C-alpha cells in the first residue's frame, strides 16, 4: 500500500463522509417542512395538514416507483455515476426550495427530489462491490454509521439554523452541502466497474417462484412498508404538534429538531445490541418484541400534555425501530438466494418508500379528521394489524421461544 487510505479504504472514507453529509442534509429540512408549507399561503388547519402530507408523500411516491429502475441502470452503468446523478440533482433541487413562495412549486421540487434520490443505497452497493469479501461486512457497517450519524445531527442542526437564520436559508445551506458531496464523489471515489452479461434472475415462473418461502418474503416486504408508514405518519404533523404543545412560544424549530432526532439516537444505541441478541436468541423473538413494544409506545403519544413526555416516548420508538427494521432485513437476507439479494433489497427499498408515501398522506388526512392525537392511535392500530398478519402468515412467530425456522 502506498498510503494509509488507498483503494477501497479511500472509497470507504470518502463515502462515509459523503453519506454523513447527505444524511445530515436530507434530515436537516424534514422536521420543519410543515412549518415551511405554512409560509406558502394562508391555509386553514385542515388545508395545512393536507398540503404537508402531499409535500412529504410525493417524494416517496417517486422513490418507490423509480428505485428498481435506477437499480437496473446502476447494474449497467455503474454505481459512481448514480452517486453523481443523485448528489448533483439533490444539491440543485433542495437549494431551489429556499426560493419558492408557492405550495405547488414546492410540491414539484419535492417530486424532482424523488427522481434524484439514491445516494445512500448506491454508496452501499459501491462499497459492497469494491471491497474484498473478507472486509465487506465491516465496511458496510462502518458506512452505515455515517448515514445514521448524519441523520441524527441533521434535525438538530436544521432546527438551530432555522431558528437563528431562517427556514429558507437552511434549504440553501443543505444544497451547498450536497454540492460538496458531489465534488468529493467525483474526484475521490474510484470504481472498477464491469457490466455483467449474466441474467440477474430467471424469468420462468416469476421472481417469487425462486424463493423457498414466497409467503414469508411477501409478509416481510409488507411489514417493511407498514412499519415505515407508521414512522412517516408522524412526520407531517410532528412540528405542528410540538408547536401546539408549546403554545406557539419558545424555540420551536430547535425543540422539533431534538425530538425528531431522538428516535435515531435510540436506534443507533439499540440496533447493534438487539442484532447480537437476535443472533444468539433468534430473530423471531426480536421481531415480536419490536412489534409489541412499538404498539405500546405509540398509543400514549396521542395523549401527552408536554414536549418532555413526547420526547421520552419518541426515544422509546427508536428502540422498536432498532428491533424491527434490521430484523426484517436479516430475515429477508437469510431467506433469499444469493443471486437475488440485490433484487429483493431494491424491492425492499421500494416498499419502504411506499410506506413513507402512505404514512405522509394518511398522517395528514387522519390529523385533519381526528386532530393530531388521532395519528398516533392510527399508527398503533396499523402496527397491531401488521403484527397479527405476521403471526398468521409466518407460523414460527407464534412460538418465538421455541426453535426457530425462519432465521
Amino acid at each position: 500500500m502506498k498510503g494509509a487510505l488507498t483503494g477501497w479504504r479511500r472509497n470507504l472514507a470518502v463515502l462515509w463522509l459523503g453519506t454523513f453529509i447527505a444524511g445530515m442534509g436530507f434530515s436537516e429540512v424534514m422536521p420543519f417542512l410543515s412549518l415551511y408549507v405554512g409560509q406558502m399561503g394562508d391555509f386553514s388547519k385542515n388545508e395545512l395538514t393536507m398540503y404537508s402530507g402531499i409535500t412529504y408523500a410525493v417524494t416517496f411516491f417517486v422513490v418507490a416507483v423509480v428505485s428498481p429502475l435506477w437499480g437496473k441502470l446502476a447494474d449497467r452503468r455503474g454505481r459512481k455515476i448514480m452517486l453523481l446523478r443523485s448528489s448533483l440533482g439533490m444539491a440543485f433541487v433542495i437549494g431551489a426550495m429556499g426560493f419558492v413562495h408557492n405550495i405547488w412549486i414546492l410540491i414539484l421540487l419535492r417530486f424532482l427530489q424523488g427522481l434524484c434520490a439514491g445516494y445512500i443505497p448506491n454508496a452501499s452497493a459501491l462499497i459492497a462491490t469494491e471491497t474484498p469479501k473478507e472486509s465487506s461486512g465491516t465496511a458496510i457497517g462502518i458506512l452505515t454509521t455515517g448515514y445514521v450519524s448524519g441523520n441524527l445531527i441533521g434535525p438538530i442542526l436544521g432546527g438551530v439554523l432555522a431558528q437563528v437564520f431562517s427556514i429558507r436559508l437552511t434549504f440553501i445551506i443543505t444544497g451547498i452541502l450536497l454540492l460538496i458531496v458531489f465534488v468529493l464523489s467525483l474526484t475521490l471515489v474510484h470504481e472498477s466497474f464491469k457490466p455483467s452479461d449474466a441474467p440477474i434472475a430467471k424469468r420462468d415462473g416469476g421472481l417469487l417462484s425462486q424463493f423457498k418461502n414466497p409467503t414469508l418474503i411477501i409478509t416481510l416486504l409488507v411489514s417493511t412498508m407498514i412499519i415505515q408508514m407508521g414512522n412517516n405518519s408522524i412526520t407531517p404533523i410532528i412540528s405542528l404538534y410540538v408547536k401546539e404543545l408549546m403554545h406557539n412560544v419558545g424555540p420551536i424549530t430547535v425543540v422539533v429538531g431534538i425530538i425528531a432526532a431522538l428516535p435515531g439516537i435510540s436506534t443507533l444505541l439499540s440496533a447493534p445490541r438487539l442484532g447480537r441478541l437476535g443472533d444468539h436468541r433468534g430473530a423471531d423473538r426480536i421481531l415480536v418484541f419490536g412489534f409489541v413494544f412499538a404498539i405500546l409506545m405509540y398509543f400514549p403519544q396521542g395523549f401527552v400534555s408536554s414536549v418532555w413526555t413526547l420526547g421520552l416516548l419518541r426515544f422509546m420508538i427508536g428502540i422498536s425501530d432498532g428491533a424491527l427494521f434490521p430484523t426484517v432485513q436479516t430475515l429477508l437476507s437469510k431467506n433469499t438466494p444469493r443471486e437475488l439479494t440485490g433484487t429483493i433489497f431494491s424491492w425492499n427499498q421500494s416498499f419502504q418508500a411506499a410506506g413513507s408515501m402512505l404514512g405522509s398522506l394518511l398522517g395528514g388526512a387522519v390529523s385533519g379528521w381526528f386532530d393530531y392525537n388521532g395519528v398516533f392511535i392510527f399508527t398503533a392500530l396499523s402496527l397491531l394489524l401488521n403484527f397479527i398478519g405476521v403471526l398468521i402468515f409466518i407460523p414460527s412467530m407464534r412460538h418465538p421461544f421455541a426453535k426457530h425456522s425462519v432465521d
Side-chain angles (χ1 to χ4, degrees), residues 349-373:
Q349 183 185 12
S350 289
F351 272 79
Q352 192 167 352
S356 297
M357 177 197 69
L358 288 173
S360 300
L361 288 175
L362 292 173
V366 171
S367 65
W369 297 330
F370 302 106
D371 210 349
Y372 301 138
N373 59 344

Side-chain angles (χ1 to χ4, degrees), residues 49-61:
T49 55
M50 180 191 70
Y51 283 129
S52 295
I54 294 172
T55 303
Y56 279 101
V58 66
T59 301
F60 300 117
F61 168 76

Side-chain angles (χ1 to χ4, degrees), residues 202-392:
K202 302 173 185 177
R203 296 187 178 272
D204 295 341
L207 178 66
L208 288 175
S209 67
Q210 299 170 65
F211 294 89
K212 290 182 179 179
N213 192 345
T215 302
L216 170 69
I217 299 299
I218 294 172
T219 303
L220 291 173
L221 290 174
V222 171
S223 295
T224 291
M225 182 178 70
I226 294 178
I227 296 165
Q228 186 65 15
M229 183 186 77
N231 280 338
N232 257 63
S233 65
I234 311 304
T235 307
I237 59 99
I238 190 68
S239 59
L240 305 175
Y241 193 39
V242 169
K243 184 178 179 181
E244 187 176 274
L245 290 173
M246 294 178 67
H247 307 290
N248 204 20
V249 176
I252 294 170
T253 58
V254 175
V255 175
V256 170
I258 293 172
I259 287 181
L262 285 174
I265 294 172
S266 52
T267 297
L268 189 64
L269 294 173
S270 64
R273 292 170 173 80
L274 289 169
R276 286 195 295 271
L277 190 61
D279 287 339
H280 290 98
R281 300 295 181 88
D284 292 5
R285 298 181 184 184
I286 302 301
L287 196 63
V288 169
F289 161 77
F291 273 113
V292 173
F293 192 73
I295 293 164
L296 293 176
M297 291 299 106
Y298 268 116
F299 265 118
Q301 289 180 56
F303 303 98
V304 300
S305 57
S306 75
V307 291
W308 297 103
T309 308
L310 179 64
L312 175 62
L313 291 170
R314 296 303 295 164
F315 183 85
M316 294 299 176
I317 286 298
I319 297 175
S320 65
D321 283 345
L324 291 170
F325 280 118
T327 305
V328 168
Q329 292 176 357
T330 298
L331 292 174
L332 279 173
S333 177
K334 290 184 176 181
N335 290 275
T336 298
R338 178 179 291 273
E339 65 273 14
L340 292 177
T341 300
T343 300
I344 209 64
F345 272 84
S346 71
W347 278 103
N348 193 54
Q349 183 185 12
S350 289
F351 272 79
Q352 192 167 352
S356 297
M357 177 197 69
L358 288 173
S360 300
L361 288 175
L362 292 173
V366 171
S367 65
W369 297 330
F370 302 106
D371 210 349
Y372 301 138
N373 59 344
V375 179
F376 298 98
I377 298 170
F378 163 78
T379 298
L381 291 174
S382 299
L383 287 170
L384 178 59
L385 290 174
N386 187 187
F387 183 42
I388 292 171
V390 167
L391 294 178
I392 292 172

Side-chain angles (χ1 to χ4, degrees), residues 151-162:
N151 225 16
L152 292 178
I153 294 173
I156 299 173
L157 178 61
V160 171
L161 290 174

Side-chain angles (χ1 to χ4, degrees), residues 43-266:
F43 304 127
S44 67
K45 185 174 181 179
N46 285 354
E47 288 174 331
L48 179 56
T49 55
M50 180 191 70
Y51 283 129
S52 295
I54 294 172
T55 303
Y56 279 101
V58 66
T59 301
F60 300 117
F61 168 76
V62 178
V63 172
V65 172
V66 304
S67 286
L69 303 178
W70 286 133
K72 289 180 181 178
L73 187 60
D75 288 337
R76 294 196 194 105
R77 303 292 184 182
R79 280 83 187 184
K80 179 174 178 176
I81 194 170
M82 293 293 105
L83 295 175
L84 301 180
R85 168 197 62 79
S86 179
S87 54
L88 185 61
M90 284 282 204
F92 283 105
V93 169
I94 294 180
M97 291 180 191
F99 298 95
V100 302
H101 295 271
N102 180 279
I103 182 60
W104 295 109
I105 296 177
L106 180 61
I107 290 172
L108 173 62
L109 288 172
R110 290 282 296 170
F111 179 93
L112 295 176
Q113 183 179 339
L115 289 178
C116 297
Y119 188 89
I120 307 297
N122 278 290
S124 299
L126 190 146
I127 288 297
T129 55
E130 294 293 318
T131 302
K133 287 186 177 181
E134 64 272 14
S135 303
S136 61
T138 301
I140 292 173
I142 293 172
L143 186 70
T144 301
T145 65
Y147 173 66
V148 172
S149 301
N151 225 16
L152 292 178
I153 294 173
I156 299 173
L157 178 61
V160 171
L161 290 174
Q163 187 71 31
V164 174
F165 300 106
S166 69
I167 295 177
R168 292 187 180 278
L169 185 59
T170 305
F171 281 104
I172 297 169
I173 292 172
T174 301
I176 294 171
L177 288 174
L178 290 168
L179 196 58
I180 293 172
V181 172
F182 168 77
V183 174
L184 289 173
S185 302
L186 176 66
T187 57
L188 297 177
V189 173
H190 174 73
E191 181 182 26
S192 305
F193 177 73
K194 293 180 181 179
S196 174
D197 296 326
I200 295 175
K202 302 173 185 177
R203 296 187 178 272
D204 295 341
L207 178 66
L208 288 175
S209 67
Q210 299 170 65
F211 294 89
K212 290 182 179 179
N213 192 345
T215 302
L216 170 69
I217 299 299
I218 294 172
T219 303
L220 291 173
L221 290 174
V222 171
S223 295
T224 291
M225 182 178 70
I226 294 178
I227 296 165
Q228 186 65 15
M229 183 186 77
N231 280 338
N232 257 63
S233 65
I234 311 304
T235 307
I237 59 99
I238 190 68
S239 59
L240 305 175
Y241 193 39
V242 169
K243 184 178 179 181
E244 187 176 274
L245 290 173
M246 294 178 67
H247 307 290
N248 204 20
V249 176
I252 294 170
T253 58
V254 175
V255 175
V256 170
I258 293 172
I259 287 181
L262 285 174
I265 294 172
S266 52

